[in-house]
Structure formats: C-alpha cells, structure tokens
Amino acid sequence: MPRINSPAELEALREKIVSKRDPNKTCITLCSGSACHASGSREVAAKIDEEIEKQGLAAKVDFRKTGCHGFCERGPIIVIRPDEICYFQIKPEDVPEIISETIVGKKVIDRLVYNDPVTKEKIVRESEIPFYKNQGRIVFGSNVSVDPKNIDDYMAIGGYSALAKALSTMTPDSVLQEVKKANLRGRGGGGFPAGVKWEGSRNAKDPVKYVIVNADEGDPGAYMDRSLLEGNPHAVLEGLTIGAFAVGAHEGYIYVRQEYPLAVENVNMAIKTAEELGLQGKNILGSGFDFVVKVHRGAGAFVCGESTALMTAIEGRAGEPRPKYIRSNIVGLWGKPSVLNNVETWANVPLIINNGADWFTKYGTETSKGTKIFSLVGKITNTGLVEVPMGTPLKEIIYDIGGGIPNGKKFKAVQTGGPSGGCLPENLLDLPVGFDELTKAGSMMGSGGMIVMDEDTCMVDVARYFMEFLTDESCGKCVPCREGMRQMLKLLTNITKGKGREGDIETLEQLSETAIEAALCALGKSSPNPFLSTLKYFRDEYEAHVKEKRCPALSCKELIAFYIDPAKCNACTTCARKCPSEAIIGGKNLIHIVDQEKCTKCGTCFEVCPPKFRAVTKISGVPVPPPVPEESRKIVREGKQK
Ligand SMILES: Cc1cc2nc3c(=O)[nH]c(=O)nc-3n(C[C@H](O)[C@H](O)[C@H](O)COP(=O)(O)O)c2cc1C
C-alpha cells in the first residue's frame, strides 16, 4: 500500500475508496465477533463464500465479515444491505436458501427474521427491531459496517479524518481543550475526566510520556471492550494517536488480555496497516509527529486492569498495584508521565474531534456526557451489547432494549459496575444511568457490566459470589484486602449455608469499613460494595438467612429442600426416572417421595415435573413434612381399580 503523506492525500484515498463502492449494491454483512464465532459464524462465512461463487454472484454481491453487532443472544447474525434485511441464528445449511431466495429472488425468508417474543410480530429490518431501535449507538454503531481486517471500510466511514484534522488544523492544546470541553469521562471505572488527566501528563516536565489503552476487561460478564477492539480497532488506534499528539507522547501501548485472541489479532493487523499507510510511525501524514504503538498481552488477572498494576505488568514485573501518592499521569510507566484510558474512552476521541465538543455534550446528563456501552446479561430476554445516551433510565435498558425478564419471572435487581459494583432494586429502575447517579445509589458505572437478576436470585449468594471472585483475584499485597476479604467470604459463605450467627452482619459491616479505609487499591476499597448494596436494599434476606435459616429466594442449596406434594403427585414417574441420584421413591400408581438423605438438591425433579401437575415444590425455613405413610401412597384413579 502506498504511504499517505498528507491530509489531502488521505482525503483523495478516501474518495477513491468511496467512489468504488455502490451504496445500492447488495452487501451481506455477517457478524464475526467472538460470540458469533462461538455459535458458528466461521462455518457460515465459508458457506457464503462458497455459495456466492457457486451461484456466480461474485461481481454482484459484496460480502463483509464485520465486528460484533451486539445482539449476541441471536447470533450468528446476517444483515443484507441496502434493504437491511436481518436474519438471526443462521446455520450453514440456511445459506444456499438465503442466496437464492433473498439475494437473487428478493424474497424475505420468514423463519429467519426476528420474532418479537413479546408482541409475536415478525420484524425484518434491523433498525426496527426494539433491541436496536431503542439504542443510541454513536461509538459501537460502526461495528456493523466495518470489516476490522480491512482499513478501507474504516476509511469509507470517515476513518482517520479526526487524526488528520487534529494534526493539520489544531494544536496539541486545542485538542486537549476540546476533550476537556466535551467533559469526556473515563469509561473504564471511576469516570475521571480524560482531558484533566491528559493535561496533567502534558504539563509534566519529563519529555518522555506514554499513552496506554486499558483492554484488560476482567469483569465477569463484561465484553464491550473486547467487541470494540476486535470489531473496530482503527477507531481505538486513531483515538490513541490523537491523545498522544495532545499529550506529547511518541509511544503507546495497548494492554489486552491474552484470552482475547481475536482482539489481539485484529489490533496487530490494524497497527501494521496503519504503519504501512503512514498513519503510525514517523512523520504521520506529513505533520512531523511521530508515534508508535505496541501490543502487550496480559496474563488475565483482574487486578492488572488497575492502572498501576497494569503499568507494572507492562514493565515485566508481577502486576501488583502501588500506592498512588503521585498519580500515574505524572509518574507512571517506567517512571514517566503516562495516560491510561479505557478502550471505549479512546474510541470516543475521534468522534469528539470530528464533530466537536458541543455535538458530544448534546448526549447525556449534566455531569455524564456522551453515551455508554453496557453488556446486558443475566436473566434478560435480549442478551448483548447495548449503547445508550447517558441518562437513559435503567428501566428502558432492561425492558425496552433488553425485552424484560424471561419465563414470566419478576425482576429483582440489577448489578452494575462489575464485581465491585452494587445491586439496585426494583424501586430504583427509574434511575438514569450516569457516573454520579449510580454511585449515589450505592453502585457504580464501572466499565459497563449490567447483570439482571430475577426473583429466583438470592442476594446474599450474589454478594458471596462476587466476594469469592475478588478474593481469588486479590494480589495479596495489602492486608485489608488479602485477609479482610477472606474473612468476609467466610462469613458470607456461612450465612448462605445456614451457619450464620447473630452479629455476623455487623462484623461484615466493620470489615467493609476497614477495607474501604485501608486497602491499597480500588480492588480492595470497593470490594465491600456488593455486600453493602445488597444489605442496604435486601436486608430482610440477610436476616432470614441468619435468624430463620431460610433463603427467601429458595436458592441456597443448604437451606432448601425439594418436596413432592402428595395431593398433586400423579405418579407419572418422570421425576423418579430423571433424578440423577436415585433419591425419589416412586412406583406405579404410588405417590412419589423425595428421600431427603439421598437428595443432592440438583433441582432436576423440580424442572421435569410436568407443568400440569406442579407437584414438586421447594421449601425453606420450615421442616420437610413427613413422608406419606405407606398405606396411603396408592393413587386412586377415576374409573380405575384401586
Ligand atoms: C481491580 C481493578 C480492575 C480494573 N480493570 C479495568 C479494566 O479492565 N479496564 C479499564 O479500562 N479499567 C479498569 N480499571 C480502572 C483503571 O484502574 C483505570 O481507572 C482506567 O483504566 C482509566 O481509564 P478511564 O479513565 O478511561 O476509565 C480497574 C480498576 C481496578 C481497581
């Protein structure tokens, strides 16, 4: 590829790329993000290639393997443009029909379109599907039209024009002021204003400075940074390069976890292509500005997402945090001023430079500007990645986009902010998502994990689960985190096992206070959040566990029992046949009984008991009724002999 030596040459190249593309030409876009790969998009892609060839359509049809489209629940996804016909859960065997019926015959295949689970309506166009229609995708939206391995696609949508603008028409200071004016707050955790952080580094005396992308993303259930980096790596790279120009850095790092192989592959390819084109390296676009980027693969420890631990890991040492008496934007990587921002934060930068801070601040609330990408997971109908303007109420995300709670269950809580975030109850569903709003309610934005829980979720067990995760992930450097969390986990585990004692809740509160005050880094300091928020909103559940040895959600194994209601049992034998531990005493025409000694509480009997009988129930906090006496176990069926 020939090197681009100026903004004018970049524009000329873009015009050439765009002029070769007919917007009315049929283009099949296939989501090829990690989630769709896992559900078979590679095989679908091979079949599309084969079928286009076989049906002689190579000149008439474009085929693009794009980044994640977001609706991961329904992958692999195909969108056929320009008509925007959207097909879900495509299998290789569907492909010949798609090509002959839809591409050639212009007919929609009914069985592959979106079937709204609520209205039962069939929806053909992507933009009309509630999951997409109710979002505001300014950052993530480009994923659907970009093949991350082909820089032409990024160019075609205006890629690198923000960098050209910054280098040719702005000064480092005016770039910085624009980002400050936009009030872009960090998308990876604390919501610190990016412009202020950059300014600190820029003003630091040391001439050697670094810029770094945090793509560690260790939160359970979160994958928005992965999808952005693997789906649109040039956007992150462009943002990083603009940031480097503003700060005065000539070297950057992308810290990405090893478990993200596709992100690593795509970002490495993007860097190589950008270097070949002169968008990285020496004298970028003829501006005299030099900048190179290296990829550092992280070993997958959650604590390495913390800024100082991450920098220590890049230096080749064990990833442990250090005290932040001096912030890392002043003394960071190898003791030099270093700006660390999250993937999504960097991806916002080209948009701000191209469209201006006034455009950006039109989205969001007074203190949280722009949009936020969330990974919406858990007990939710539409699992996937969603991007909404800051200030969108939780209810809209969960119901209008997420489609609500499946299987007729009731909403119980939503956990935001990753493992150190908090759980918010139903009466806070009107809360607008924003950094300060979530923190005030006892949770936090974090990097954008959003886990929805239904009525069957035990909130004490949720706190225990996150505490277990954090205890495992603690680096062990400071005592309040290493020892404090271990004690908290022990107490929470005991409570969920029915071994909780009076005073345990108060001890947990004291340990929380100590961790908040004395832990070295935010992992320890925020570790009590899941406990404190569940205690704040669901105290009655803690008390039921401790005082009555009862789990109100009927979830904690040690506190529940399965019981077959003799009045409802029809001796159909299903539960007895399916029970993996042979714990059901059954027999033809005999009321079935759960042998409580043998029962492992796997719940199979509960799940398989036919809905028309619903004879198996879960009980907690009360003794299991005695088994039906042998002489009364026979079921008398109408019109039949006893
Ligand atoms: C234990 C721990 C893990 C973290 N993991 C991440 C992460 O995976 N990605 C991220 O961007 N920030 C993470 N952070 C926050 C970072 O320390 C830092 O604040 C952030 O990368 C700064 O970027 P931002 O201002 O753009 O959000 C983590 C913080 C802690 C305490």
Side-chain angles (χ1 to χ4, degrees):
M1 256 186 249
R3 197 187 149 86
I4 311 166
N5 295 308
S6 67
E9 281 184 26
L10 178 75
E11 268 324 295
L13 177 65
R14 189 189 324 287
E15 271 169 31
K16 200 168 142 199
I17 293 166
V18 173
S19 69
K20 278 197 204 152
R21 295 184 172 202
D22 174 3
N24 295 318
K25 187 175 173 188
T26 303
C27 177
I28 305 172
T29 55
L30 169 71
C31 175
S32 302
S34 286
C36 277
H37 270 178
S39 44
S41 74
R42 273 201 180 109
E43 292 74 15
V44 173
K47 196 71 191 165
I48 293 175
D49 278 329
E50 183 192 314
E51 211 54 36
I52 288 178
E53 185 68 32
K54 206 158 117 191
Q55 301 199 26
L57 295 168
K60 291 191 189 142
V61 177
D62 284 338
F63 173 35
R64 195 166 294 149
K65 291 164 214 149
T66 70
C68 175
H69 289 206
F71 204 171
C72 309
E73 166 96 25
R74 304 272 178 143
I77 303 169
I78 275 180
V79 184
I80 300 162
R81 298 180 200 281
D83 296 330
E84 243 192 73
I85 297 167
C86 198
Y87 290 150
F88 293 98
Q89 288 169 332
I90 304 299
K91 292 183 217 65
E93 49 273 30
D94 297 320
V95 172
E97 191 185 351
I98 293 173
I99 304 291
S100 52
E101 288 295 302
T102 308
I103 304 293
V104 180
K106 303 284 170 216
K107 275 188 257 148
V108 170
I109 305 167
D110 236 30
R111 96 189 124 76
L112 298 176
V113 302
Y114 180 73
N115 196 349
D116 194 306
V118 182
T119 61
K120 307 289 170 220
E121 190 193 347
K122 295 217 178 239
I123 306 175
V124 177
R125 289 167 69 87
E126 185 186 44
S127 57
E128 287 163 10
I129 296 168
F131 178 81
Y132 294 112
K133 190 171 79 180
N134 295 307
Q135 296 189 43
R137 310 210 294 174
I138 62 169
V139 180
F140 199 61
S142 306
N143 263 32
V144 299
S145 42
V146 168
D147 173 351
K149 294 189 164 68
N150 181 1
I151 195 169
D152 284 9
D153 287 349
Y154 186 59
M155 293 279 199
I157 59 161
Y160 287 102
S161 55
L163 177 64
K165 180 178 174 183
L167 295 180
S168 62
T169 67
M170 297 172 84
T171 61
D173 192 54
S174 62
V175 171
L176 187 80
Q177 294 313 326
E178 202 62 27
V179 173
K180 271 180 85 178
K181 191 173 163 204
N183 193 11
L184 173 65
R185 295 177 66 177
R187 275 24 182 183
F192 192 80
V196 175
K197 193 190 281 185
W198 294 14
E199 195 167 43
S201 275
R202 190 179 149 66
N203 292 341
K205 289 218 165 54
D206 202 314
V208 178
K209 303 167 206 269
Y210 297 103
V211 284
I212 309 167
V213 179
N214 190 343
D216 186 52
E217 199 170 48
D219 304 13
Y223 60 106
M224 51 269 148
D225 293 344
R226 182 193 76 204
S227 299
L228 203 49
L229 196 61
E230 72 184 22
N232 199 358
H234 284 288
V236 182
L237 209 53
E238 186 181 2
L240 184 70
T241 314
I242 295 170
F245 173 67
V247 166
H250 299 287
E251 215 177 307
Y253 285 88
I254 298 179
Y255 184 101
V256 51
R257 60 175 43 226
Q258 178 73 18
E259 293 101 313
Y260 284 0
L262 190 58
V264 172
E265 182 185 323
N266 290 356
V267 82
N268 271 320
M269 192 172 203
I271 292 170
K272 192 167 170 279
T273 317
E275 273 169 2
E276 283 167 10
L277 283 172
L279 297 162
Q280 297 281 290
K282 290 246 172 266
N283 193 20
I284 297 173
L285 293 174
S287 64
F289 175 64
D290 307 335
F291 181 62
V292 289
V293 184
K294 291 181 193 143
V295 172
H296 182 98
R297 285 179 294 172
F302 176 66
V303 73
C304 285
E306 195 276 340
S307 53
T308 57
L310 181 146
M311 292 178 199
T312 315
I314 294 180
E315 288 169 4
R317 295 184 283 134
E320 286 179 353
R322 62 156 175 79
K324 288 193 199 162
Y325 308 121
I326 306 173
R327 296 209 155 266
S328 48
N329 63 335
I330 309 297
V331 179
L333 186 61
W334 288 300
K336 307 291 178 191
S338 306
V339 168
L340 173 74
N341 277 125
N342 168 263
V343 173
E344 192 183 336
T345 316
W346 288 119
N348 268 286
V349 172
L351 298 172
I352 293 169
I353 297 304
N354 259 339
N355 302 301
D358 292 339
W359 166 83
F360 186 76
T361 51
K362 276 191 199 135
Y363 296 92
T365 65
E366 192 55 33
T367 55
S368 302
K369 300 295 183 193
T371 60
K372 180 76 194 85
I373 306 173
F374 290 98
S375 68
L376 189 59
V377 297
K379 301 292 174 65
I380 184 91
T381 304
N382 302 330
T383 298
L385 296 177
V386 305
E387 182 180 352
V388 289
M390 297 274 195
T392 304
L394 284 167
K395 199 193 254 167
E396 278 182 28
I397 302 176
I398 294 167
Y399 287 93
D400 300 348
I401 299 171
I405 317 301
N407 307 321
K409 296 279 178 183
K410 279 202 225 128
F411 170 90
K412 185 164 194 178
V414 57
Q415 207 269 357
T416 68
S420 335
C423 295
L424 304 173
E426 194 175 11
N427 64 4
L428 289 179
L429 276 177
D430 286 323
L431 192 79
V433 291
F435 294 102
D436 309 311
E437 290 83 350
L438 288 170
T439 307
K440 219 160 122 192
S443 186
M444 61 184 193
M445 180 82 86
S447 59
M450 193 175 272
I451 306 172
V452 180
M453 296 160 192
D454 71 7
E455 58 187 301
D456 295 339
T457 316
C458 168
M459 302 316 289
V460 184
D461 197 43
V462 165
R464 185 207 56 76
Y465 167 81
F466 284 115
M467 189 54 74
E468 187 176 26
F469 174 83
L470 292 169
T471 307
D472 272 353
E473 295 292 333
S474 168
C475 74
K477 188 170 177 177
C478 75
V479 175
C481 181
R482 187 184 65 232
E483 300 303 328
M485 279 205 291
R486 208 174 290 176
Q487 292 311 316
M488 288 184 79
L489 176 61
K490 208 160 145 190
L491 289 168
L492 287 167
T493 307
N494 280 345
I495 294 175
T496 57
K497 287 189 169 171
K499 294 179 197 157
R501 292 174 307 188
E502 290 284 340
D504 279 357
I505 297 175
E506 290 69 23
T507 310
L508 279 161
E509 284 176 311
Q510 280 169 13
L511 287 164
S512 299
E513 240 174 74
T514 311
I516 293 167
E517 282 296 316
L520 175 63
C521 84
L523 190 154
K525 280 184 188 298
S526 58
S527 63
N529 275 353
F531 162 68
L532 290 173
S533 65
T534 48
L535 184 68
K536 180 172 175 185
Y537 296 117
F538 301 94
R539 191 173 193 111
D540 53 335
E541 289 201 25
Y542 279 89
E543 283 171 356
H545 280 74
V546 174
K547 293 183 183 152
E548 302 164 40
K549 309 299 171 208
R550 179 170 68 88
C551 174
L554 300 168
S555 157
C556 293
K557 262 193 177 181
E558 272 84 350
L559 296 181
I560 58 162
F562 289 89
Y563 169 68
I564 300 174
D565 183 345
K568 292 184 178 168
C569 178
N570 209 45
C572 71
T573 71
T574 310
C575 61
R577 281 182 284 116
K578 298 272 162 93
C579 174
S581 49
E582 298 180 352
I584 294 178
I585 306 158
K588 200 173 172 204
N589 287 339
L590 290 178
I591 288 167
H592 287 37
I593 298 164
V594 178
D595 181 339
Q596 300 296 333
E597 294 291 309
K598 279 190 177 175
C599 177
T600 57
K601 301 179 186 172
C602 68
T604 305
C605 55
F606 185 77
E607 280 159 25
V608 299
C609 180
K612 60 184 172 185
F613 305 139
R614 287 203 198 289
V616 182
T617 53
K618 283 192 223 178
I619 51 178
S620 181
V622 288
V624 181
V628 193
E630 220 31 60
E631 60 275 18
S632 330
R633 281 185 63 205
K634 261 216 162 129
I635 295 177
V636 184
R637 298 189 194 273
E638 230 170 85
K640 285 192 183 166
Q641 213 62 39
K642 210 177 176 184

